[in-house]
Amino acid sequence: MSGIGISLTCAFRRPGENKIGWPISANAIALTTLGQPDVSEGFAADSRVSAYTATEGRFRRAPEGLVRCAADEERLCFAGDGAFVGQYLQGADTYHSAPWDDPAATHGSGDAAYFAPRSGGSIAYAGAHSEPDIFGGSGGGVVITQTDADGSFHNANNVKVSGVLEGDVLRHEVIVSIETTEAGKVGPRGHGNSNFSFDFDHDAQGNITGFTENWATYRAGYHDMGIINGKRWWYLWADRLADSTGDTQGIGINYSGTTAGQGRKVHVCEAMIRKNPACAPAAVPVCAASKTFTADTLVSTLSNAGYICEGLAMARSQVPGGAIEAPAVPLGVPYEPLETRIGIATGAEAADRTGLLDNPNLHFYARPWEQPASITLHYGPGYIASRWLVADDINDRVGDATIAPVFQARRDLAPVLGKHATSGAYVTGALTLDGCVFLALGDTVSTYWRQTDIRTFGNSTSFLLAAGTALNARGCLVMGETVHTTRARSEAQADESDEQRVYVGEFLPFIENAGSIDLSGSRFERLARMSMEARDRNTAVALNLDDTCYSLMWSDPIYWSRGTFANVQASRRFHGSMTFHPGMSIWQSRKQIEVDTGSGFVPFDASGLTLADLPHGHEAQLVGMWDFDTDTFTAAPDPAKTCRIRYYAPGSGIGTSRPGYEWNAQQVDMGGYSRHQQTGDVYEIDTGTLKARFTFDRGRYSAGNVWNVDTNPALTSTGTHGDNDQVNRFFVTINGMVADDVVMLNHGQGPFHTGTSSLAADGSSITGIVTDRFVAVLADVSNAYRFDHSLLAGSVETLQNSLLVQAYSDYRFEGGDGIAMNIGAAGANNTLQLGANVWSATAHPTGLSDSGGGTTTGTLNRIGLPRAQGFSGYTTPGASDGVLTDLLDPADIHASGQAEPVTDPWTFAFADGAAAKLGFDPNATLALARGNHAAWDDVIAGLAAVYHRKPDHLAEIAPGAAVGSVVATGVAASAFHARYGGNGEGYFALDGGQVTVAKPLTGVDRIFVLRGDNDETIMVDVA
């Protein structure tokens, strides 16, 4: 058994993590002496680490400052108070620097540790000054004192890389401390192949505050190294591509931007350059000329495993030769290479892949630079809330982009990617996302219960995955969220369950030009809708939906939004449960909702409450009747008559909204059937802290407050009704589709392939769909298969070797009749061809319903079922081609004589003799459609257990909340989860039971769902 977030003992757990993580057969290699002084052994203390190897000359953090290590000395790091904080681990790379720290070094014009003098600044080398340095003493590094108002620059003429080729990445890095009384600029300088200066802004206290981005030419960043030896130090870096071939490139220091400036001191303790760096920027000095380091390595006997470095935010799929080393990634990891815990993931992987976990620098890795033809980004097991591909500007455009898991042999180690939108204008080729998990969290939507609330194309869409020519998301898991982690959280229903709740989230692949969409093998779970769209209707897009699964979908498993699709592959599809509330109506009333908070009932508008305060999804009981003619209430409680009041806003189609005078409710449960409420019925909800009364009325408001009496509710069928496979009536063309072995077991409509009855020029056109071995058991729906109003004359769909079964529903129409399921065609352009062995078990007298000139040809074999009549009665089926027991076991047949609704689509089966009756085997179709999708079950259960419940803490803060502001208290977690914390960007800190703001939130409008190391969840709504 394996999974994300399931209850298992595993190596990745930290103490108190509540047994949630991944099953790993070997324990993690972790430092156990953190926080202690005088520690002399790090990872080598673990019995599985047989040796530690490192190149002489690496630096580590000591209490007094940064000090050099001997060969193979573990790089143990200590805070200023002497507490052990972890071990530095860095990969192999070559650096070009100088002995800036060494007072014994020479500083002539031919020496490495030399800055060419220029007017505007004086230079004091190591040993020629007494300034506290970063190395724990004084006199190390170079102190440059500004001597005029303009500033200056100094090149280290002898610190160079050679053999530069055009397009090489040249990384310029400096470590400085700034002593000043006014704001200005400082930064690295390049000279030789590419001459430039890159400026970082600092304030009057010498603190770096930012820089002006120029992504078209540079990558750059900075890091506050903190107070070391009494001074604050800053690490600054900038990348630039080489302009030409055959030249050298050197490093320099630049300082400018002041108005007076005299006396500003820039203390430089490192200035170095790398060509095509193998390792990411790191705030660690080298201070040696042309130094090549091998990777810091833990030697072990591990095999058939990979590892995850939580501090370095990196993962690797293999342990070559048992060597655990800092993976070589050129950028995108924390600036301090400090490691405390390395998780071991067992299982053989076919390829050696290195990738990243979420961290504050991930955007450097995820953002294309210099418009490459293609990029491939690998991600390890963890949750990336956003920024997993940053390509949304002309300066970070890319051709083909691939996002792939580091670990590909195990589903439970796939990266979990948060809600995101890409652009086909900036991903101009193919976007490939195979094998990833998608989890929509933190939607800022304020209401989400109507079909119109579901977003189509737009940046607010949970997953708008747009690309120029191809979108591939094969073998993926896509999940939405509950309203608990959105701004629609007040709409959470009292009776919600996994099988009956609103799931927020849309998955919308979009093609900008001609191309293809391939979603084959993916599972869509607990989501509102999966849509497909292409901008250019004049060019066909190839679509592959083979072997897809849709389970616990709230509204529409498949929605054809826009575009032309030709020769579609859509076989072996499994449509499991749907979760929308059927049969909901909006009621408006002449009498306002009344509430009682402890002092008696008052009208809603006098209560001081908002609509969000009213109970959602609670059971209401009949307590009496209201006479609208005499305005009198007569108590007549009947606890057996109940209904659910769900929402307090109008549905689509209501002309006049009257807040406080309207609500959405399901029918009254009459015990064995349900029906609409009657005029004057008064239903009451008692939550224990609040009572609310609802006086039902037949009619609606118009023209403001004008009441129109009617015999019906204001509007029926509100919220959403599920469509398993729905074509937008406009903007879609489908020319050919193969749909073999398709299963639908829920209460959504069957295939609904329809254009517009007006046959407008932009109406949808559908033809050439052939469906073979379609098996459906559908409740609460009239339409099991519809083919209507195609724009193209002579449009044809074919259905053969198929079985459609009507399942029982409590719902009754106004006259007391129940649902009668049918199939058919509408519109003169439409012909539905029935091939051999098409069966329908239905309460409809013929099972067929054609209209408007639509035609159904061929033979429908009908098994007649009773239809509800007069609320509690049933008709007697007429002539029939069989009986339901030919198809279903007795336990799957309702007392009414109709089929039982399918409660567990994963275990449901037809009777053993069904194949002989039907001429094809429906159970074989079930097996083919289910495929291997159940392999995701444990991953789904783990994610849902943590993220689909009400968060443990909720905070609502403004974007202007100051750094240090307390966001949440009473948090039991000791830290954010190392890989699933949701705090990769570092906006928040967790310490001592408090979550605080860690960096400015200026301009942020977003919901963060944070996870503690004990799986506590903290939701922070910044608005």
Side-chain angles (χ1 to χ4, degrees), residues 359-437:
N359 74 90
N361 288 334
L362 184 73
H363 61 285
F364 289 117
Y365 178 75
R367 187 177 182 186
W369 187 48
E370 296 290 334
Q371 301 189 13
S374 64
I375 59 169
T376 297
L377 306 176
H378 286 104
Y379 291 124
Y383 170 51
I384 305 176
S386 64
R387 308 174 307 142
W388 43 264
L389 176 62
V390 184
D392 49 17
D393 184 85
I394 189 63
N395 292 319
D396 46 34
R397 188 163 56 180
V398 65
D400 298 333
T402 298
I403 312 294
V406 170
F407 298 96
Q408 298 183 8
R410 290 175 52 175
R411 296 172 190 251
D412 58 320
L413 299 180
V416 180
L417 307 179
K419 63 189 301 291
H420 194 46
T422 64
S423 168
Y426 305 120
V427 182
T428 59
L431 175 59
T432 298
L433 305 156
D434 298 346
C436 294
V437 173

Side-chain angles (χ1 to χ4, degrees), residues 138-193:
S138 61
V142 182
V143 175
I144 300 172
T145 302
Q146 185 172 339
T147 58
D148 67 17
D150 296 329
S152 189
F153 68 88
H154 304 284
N155 290 333
N157 287 337
N158 305 311
V159 179
K160 297 180 178 181
V161 293
S162 59
V164 176
L165 301 178
E166 183 178 355
D168 281 346
V169 176
L170 303 172
R171 178 161 297 160
H172 309 74
E173 303 165 88
V174 298
I175 294 176
V176 299
S177 181
I178 306 164
E179 181 182 327
T180 184
T181 58
E182 66 172 308
K185 300 178 183 296
V186 68
R189 179 178 181 83
H191 61 95
N193 185 289

Side-chain angles (χ1 to χ4, degrees), residues 726-771:
Q726 181 181 17
V727 177
N728 185 1
R729 293 183 183 272
F730 298 91
F731 314 123
V732 175
T733 298
I734 302 174
N735 288 323
M737 180 168 77
V738 176
D740 298 342
D741 298 296
V742 177
V743 172
M744 298 179 184
L745 305 174
N746 51 52
H747 62 286
Q749 290 192 132
F752 203 73
H753 300 159
T754 179
T756 174
S757 58
S758 69
L759 298 183
D762 56 357
S764 292
S765 177
I766 308 110
T767 192
I769 297 178
V770 178
T771 301

Side-chain angles (χ1 to χ4, degrees), residues 669-824:
D669 183 359
M670 304 295 292
Y673 66 94
S674 64
R675 63 181 299 171
H676 286 315
Q677 294 81 349
Q678 303 300 305
T679 299
D681 283 354
V682 179
Y683 281 82
E684 183 178 303
I685 292 173
D686 186 352
T687 69
T689 58
L690 172 70
K691 292 181 181 179
R693 277 189 174 178
F694 306 86
T695 303
F696 283 80
D697 208 351
R698 298 290 184 101
R700 65 165 64 192
Y701 286 100
S702 66
N705 297 334
V706 176
W707 179 253
N708 300 275
V709 176
D710 201 340
T711 58
N712 296 305
L715 186 70
T716 59
S717 299
T718 58
T720 189
H721 66 278
D723 291 293
N724 278 283
D725 176 9
Q726 181 181 17
V727 177
N728 185 1
R729 293 183 183 272
F730 298 91
F731 314 123
V732 175
T733 298
I734 302 174
N735 288 323
M737 180 168 77
V738 176
D740 298 342
D741 298 296
V742 177
V743 172
M744 298 179 184
L745 305 174
N746 51 52
H747 62 286
Q749 290 192 132
F752 203 73
H753 300 159
T754 179
T756 174
S757 58
S758 69
L759 298 183
D762 56 357
S764 292
S765 177
I766 308 110
T767 192
I769 297 178
V770 178
T771 301
D772 196 0
R773 298 181 302 280
F774 171 48
V775 173
V777 180
L778 303 174
D780 291 304
V781 298
S782 299
N783 298 313
Y785 197 112
R786 296 300 312 174
F787 179 43
D788 300 344
H789 307 301
S790 176
L791 183 63
L792 178 70
S795 295
V796 176
E797 283 198 25
T798 300
L799 179 66
Q800 58 198 24
N801 298 309
S802 296
L803 171 63
L804 303 96
V805 179
Q806 177 178 338
Y808 171 77
S809 170
D810 284 338
Y811 185 87
R812 298 293 182 267
F813 296 106
E814 186 61 28
D817 288 347
I819 292 168
M821 188 183 75
N822 68 85
I823 67 173

